């Protein structure tokens, strides 16, 4: 199970690889490094220490932003699910599964995994259909960007909060996963007071 979890983590990095669709126009990234861009917040500002955004077109940067939003949303849901499971709550299974989230994942029946994969597949299918619309913005599945003025400070703050919370959740979930794999502790603390 540990190897499968690690392979899943490394396999998910493929989401950050640009697709075969490339644009010949490149961006100087000035539009992405402006202090008013969504996701550029204090204290880090524009954060790209490994240079993934260097010489990338706006199209590729939009793919990166969409991947960041999607991974952040999944990580937020995963953190919530982790602590609900660690608390011993399994609404669909009458709390009969293990409280260890990794063990509970192994105990799930195949039909539950089929439902999970089908649900994720449906969301991905829906995303590809919605992305073809003219009004689509990266990560905006419900068209919420059309409901607000792009200069509305409340909308900008909401988007920044979503990105920052997603970034934190990605780090937090990795910490919880390593904590369980390395120490066998899946609750709220690695080391408990003696």
């Amino acid at each position: 199970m540990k190897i499968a979890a690690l392979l899943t983590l490394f396999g998910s990095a493929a989401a950050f690889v640009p697709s075969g669709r490339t644009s010949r126009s490149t961006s100087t990234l000035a539009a992405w490094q402006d202090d008013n861009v969504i996701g550029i917040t204090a204290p880090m500002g524009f954060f790209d220490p490994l240079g993934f955004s260097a010489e990338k077109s706006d199209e590729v940067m939009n793919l990166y932003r969409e991947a960041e939003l999607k991974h952040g949303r999944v990580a937020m849901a995963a953190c919530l699910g982790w602590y609900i499971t660690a608390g011993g709550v399994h609404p669909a299974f009458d709390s009969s599964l293990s409280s260890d989230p990794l063990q509970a994942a192994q105990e799930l029946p195949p039909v539950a995994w089929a439902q999970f994969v089908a649900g994720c597949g449906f969301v991905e299918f829906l995303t590809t259909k919605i992305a073809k619309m003219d009004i689509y913005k990266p990560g905006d599945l419900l068209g919420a960007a059309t409901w607000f003025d792009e200069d509305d400070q409340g909308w900008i703050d909401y988007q920044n909060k979503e990105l920052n919370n997603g970034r934190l959740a990605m780090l937090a979930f990795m910490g919880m996963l390593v904590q369980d794999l390395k120490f066998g502790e899946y609750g709220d603390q690695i080391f408990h007071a003696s």
Side-chain angles (χ1 to χ4, degrees), residues 47-182:
F47 184 72
D48 185 19
L50 299 178
F52 287 130
S53 63
E55 307 281 328
K56 297 293 189 278
S57 68
D58 287 338
E59 181 181 314
V60 172
M61 290 300 291
N62 282 332
L63 288 173
Y64 287 172
R65 175 53 49 91
E66 184 163 358
E68 179 181 22
L69 279 166
K70 189 177 291 186
H71 283 86
R73 290 169 180 162
V74 168
M76 287 186 277
C79 287
L80 178 63
W82 187 280
Y83 280 113
I84 288 173
T85 302
V89 178
H90 308 281
F93 297 98
D94 197 27
S95 297
S96 62
L97 299 177
S98 171
S99 291
D100 182 345
L102 295 180
Q103 184 64 34
Q106 292 176 350
E107 294 173 359
L108 279 177
V111 70
W113 279 110
Q115 289 174 347
F116 176 74
V117 170
C120 293
F122 177 73
V123 170
E124 289 298 318
F125 172 77
L126 193 62
T127 301
T128 58
K129 294 299 180 192
I130 294 172
K132 293 177 183 175
M133 299 171 68
D134 292 337
I135 61 169
Y136 180 73
K137 294 190 186 268
D140 186 20
L141 294 180
L142 301 176
T146 60
W147 306 339
F148 300 97
D149 179 18
E150 290 186 21
D151 296 327
D152 179 25
Q153 192 58 43
W155 177 240
I156 292 170
D157 289 344
Y158 173 81
Q159 291 176 305
N160 280 326
K161 288 174 185 176
E162 181 183 22
L163 276 168
N164 286 334
N165 287 334
R167 292 166 179 167
L168 178 61
M170 287 185 269
L171 293 173
F173 184 77
M174 291 303 300
M176 291 186 293
L177 183 64
V178 168
Q179 171 182 315
D180 195 357
L181 291 172
K182 183 161 177 65

